[in-house]
Amino acid sequence: MESKTESPKEGAEAGRGYPFREFEPKWTAAWEAGGLFRCDAEKAVRKYYCLNMFPYPSGDLHVGHGRNYILGDVVVRRKLMEGYEVLAPMGWDAFGLPAENAAIEKGIHPREWTVRNIRKFKDQFREWGIGLDWSREIAACHPGYYKWTQWIFLQLLKAGLAEKREAPVNWCPSCATVLANEQVVDGACERCGTPVKQKQLSQWFFKTTAYAAALLDDLDGLDTWPERVRTMQRNWIGRSEGVTLRFVRPEGGAPIECFTTRIDTLGGVTYVVLSPEHPLVAELLRDHPQRTRLQGEVDAMRDQRTARQADPDLEKVGFDTGHTAVNPLNGEPVPVWVANYVLMEYGTGAVMAVPAHDDRDFAFATRYRLPIRVVIRNAQEDPETASGRGEDLTAAYLGPGTLIHSGPMDGLDNEAAKQAMGDWLAERGAGDFAVTYRLRDWLISRQRYWGAPIPVVYCDAHGIVPVPEADLPVLLPDDVDFRPKGDSPLARHQAFVHTVCPVCGGPARRETDTMDTFVDSSWYFLRYLSPRDETRAFDRDLVNRWLPVDQYIGGVEHAILHLLYARFITKFLADQGHLSFREPFARLFTQGMITKQSPTTGRLEKMSKSKGNAIAPRDLIEKYGADTVRIYTLFIGPPDKDAEWDDRAVEGAYRFLSRVWRHTRQSAGTLAPSGTPVDHAGLGEAAAALHRKTHETIERVNADLGRFHMNTAIAALMELSNQLSLALQDETFRPAPGNAEGAVLRQAVESLLILLAPMAPFITEELWAGLGYRESVFRRPVPVHDPEAIRVDSVTIVVQVGGKVRGRLTVPAAAGEDEVTALALADANVQRHLGGKEPRKVIVVPGKLVNLVAG
């Protein structure tokens, strides 16, 4: 973007600006009144569903937020011009902790806070020129929406995929609610930053683990998703193949089950270690003489964040329970420990510890002076294993080798031993081959007010009873004291709690937890097709015709939250016969963040109010116009990469649009009638150059917009604008309504406006109308380049000898490598630098250069 500065006011006064304040509000109203973005989903023949991720309406939007929505708007407007019936809806992820916490802080009701912010967001979208079908607007907090969120819960319950059970959970003391594992970042609540503690509670879960294999396997088919997102999901789901084996306890009771991918190292087990959350821990400590002290250690371990426990640099601590378990390979009793480095979320929550061949076990065994037994020897790769003695190791050996100290498996290659050991255990009933996943069930219970009530009741006679579908929605009462006090606010609302059992009519109690807000956003893309339907969650025929979503746009931070949950719910609904597709989003684009230096930290940071670096779009729009903000936001860099915001560079976008305004207005009286063909033969040099640049730009922009390269598309349009400027300043270029140069100018100006329109809709719509068109520029077809117009007869080839330029040749554009090489060798200067010898090697880059390597 240009660096020279010029204020809008100065530019306008000098005749170089454009009066954006006069027409931007006019066109916003015209698009809405004319129904430009209203989609007739039932009659659509050529459909396109473009969707931005469900926004959470909190506070004000800044220009960093704008990148997401402006990108989506470019796609929508462009698809309209390509002749699609475009579905571009908007709704609000309006339940959740932020609204409730803000309402507590400000002393107002969460509903009032949410409605107020929705109003702000809608105003800001209109100021930006974001084209949306507002007739389809939805809000997760509206009973007409969360009725169907509750219906989906009931379908999961009916299918056995929703259940309530006791479980250790992540508890945020500040927010006074449970958090899913995905909502804990570096041991703290992602919302408020408070360190998270572990707590044992009875909670509702969705069994996402039942779909672990499908969620993982189907990622291979999502080849138009960013690979980064697919990798994040693969890692989160975490498939592992191995063996689940059983360590019998000499004192009786249930055996300790361990899952391992390294069954070949079974002979090297010197202790078994349990996660502090393992249900067996309480039993093992029940009669321990130091029970109180050890339970305190267990509680301290539980308060550690899962991610920190998995950190290899975390200091590993634990204690011996005083109990033993028997190694099924050799019958040897080994001590049972509890340690902070074992996670209940992985495998079975119990690990067979092999210090000689596992880094974490080695560190733990070294700290507590536990035995280390080598069972894989490979003196060539690791001489320390040669002796077969654990005391000779300075680190765990993780490589391949031959088994020793492994009884019947001695002498086997360790890879071959994995199968043999598994078979041996299976024959004796001591183990089974198994596949496990890192993915855990989705914890959906929240002990907060502002969320969809869970539609079940508790009856002393009939236990957990689902609310009949005919009785939905279970309404969230307004008159609730929603200040956090450690339990659900709904539990203190007696009129809500006390109800009757749907089965027997006797007294019953409602569930007082509300659902995680990610449940609301796991299916909203289905509701847009029939947002006012009171009889069903979605119109099956319409969603099956319109979905998967053709283009989904949003942040990569949702890769293992929203995107995974939406995939799970879609697959479930498909399996229940409600959907004919199994993936919700065909194509995904994740935009990069916009950063700005923070005055509080002095570093480049993601824009946010807390960092003091957020830029309000309204101020910029007032100063430069919405199109300028849009163009700069798109031009700032590749949209999938992070980019730094520069306030001064915004003015370059303003000057570019001012030139477009000036040149279009200047040209208006000299244009040939619309549709006048261009006579190539009679064009002068300036007209021919403009004609070529027009069609080169059409080709480039069409390609760039198709692959989300909006920044390079704008660069191409700037080049066309510059070429237009050169032509208008050239005395030999004399366009008129009746000549060929007038036709060239008409084509250049119209192509510039049409191609620019999705990115700068206000100025292009105004200029398009100024050319005499009554129909919107967004009803105009996208121009197609003429290959003949950009065909070149000859090209200039650089000739190098030994990597240094020694000549330039003008050769036919269609010349082959042999012809180009012959012409290069015929050049006297080239021959001089070759010393009259034949080149040892010839490298030809077609259309660009020949590099000759001297012999």
Side-chain angles (χ1 to χ4, degrees), residues 712-732:
T712 54
I714 291 171
L717 291 168
M718 288 178 172
E719 291 180 16
L720 176 58
S721 173
N722 291 338
Q723 191 70 47
L724 180 61
S725 180
L726 290 174
L728 292 173
Q729 295 171 26
D730 192 314
E731 293 183 356
T732 65

Side-chain angles (χ1 to χ4, degrees), residues 462-482:
H462 295 93
I464 296 176
V465 181
V467 173
E469 293 179 16
D471 293 344
L472 298 180
V474 176
L475 290 171
L476 185 69
D478 284 331
D479 55 336
V480 175
D481 177 7
F482 47 81

Side-chain angles (χ1 to χ4, degrees), residues 688-837:
L690 179 58
H691 184 57
R692 175 186 299 281
K693 177 59 72 173
T694 297
H695 286 271
E696 288 176 345
T697 304
I698 292 170
E699 182 183 35
R700 283 180 58 187
V701 173
N702 286 345
D704 286 347
L705 291 185
R707 55 180 185 259
F708 268 78
H709 291 184
M710 284 75 171
N711 57 319
T712 54
I714 291 171
L717 291 168
M718 288 178 172
E719 291 180 16
L720 176 58
S721 173
N722 291 338
Q723 191 70 47
L724 180 61
S725 180
L726 290 174
L728 292 173
Q729 295 171 26
D730 192 314
E731 293 183 356
T732 65
F733 183 62
R734 297 173 182 173
N739 65 17
E741 293 183 335
V744 168
L745 185 58
R746 162 74 72 171
Q747 194 175 77
V749 169
E750 290 194 354
S751 297
L752 175 61
L753 295 182
I754 294 171
L755 295 171
L756 180 61
M759 295 173 280
F762 294 104
I763 189 173
T764 51
E765 193 77 281
E766 179 73 9
L767 289 171
W768 189 254
L771 293 179
Y773 292 103
R774 301 183 64 182
E775 188 176 50
S776 169
V777 69
F778 298 105
R779 299 299 186 191
R780 190 76 173 187
V782 172
V784 178
H785 77 278
D786 178 0
E788 186 65 24
I790 59 176
R791 185 178 63 82
V792 293
D793 296 324
S794 61
V795 293
T796 300
I797 299 288
V798 172
V799 183
Q800 297 178 338
V801 177
K804 294 183 178 180
V805 177
R806 301 305 183 187
R808 286 181 170 81
L809 303 171
T810 299
V811 301
E817 290 189 12
D818 291 343
E819 183 180 353
V820 171
T821 301
L823 290 170
L825 291 172
D827 185 275
N829 192 47
V830 170
Q831 278 295 321
R832 185 167 62 253
H833 284 89
L834 285 173
K837 299 178 181 179

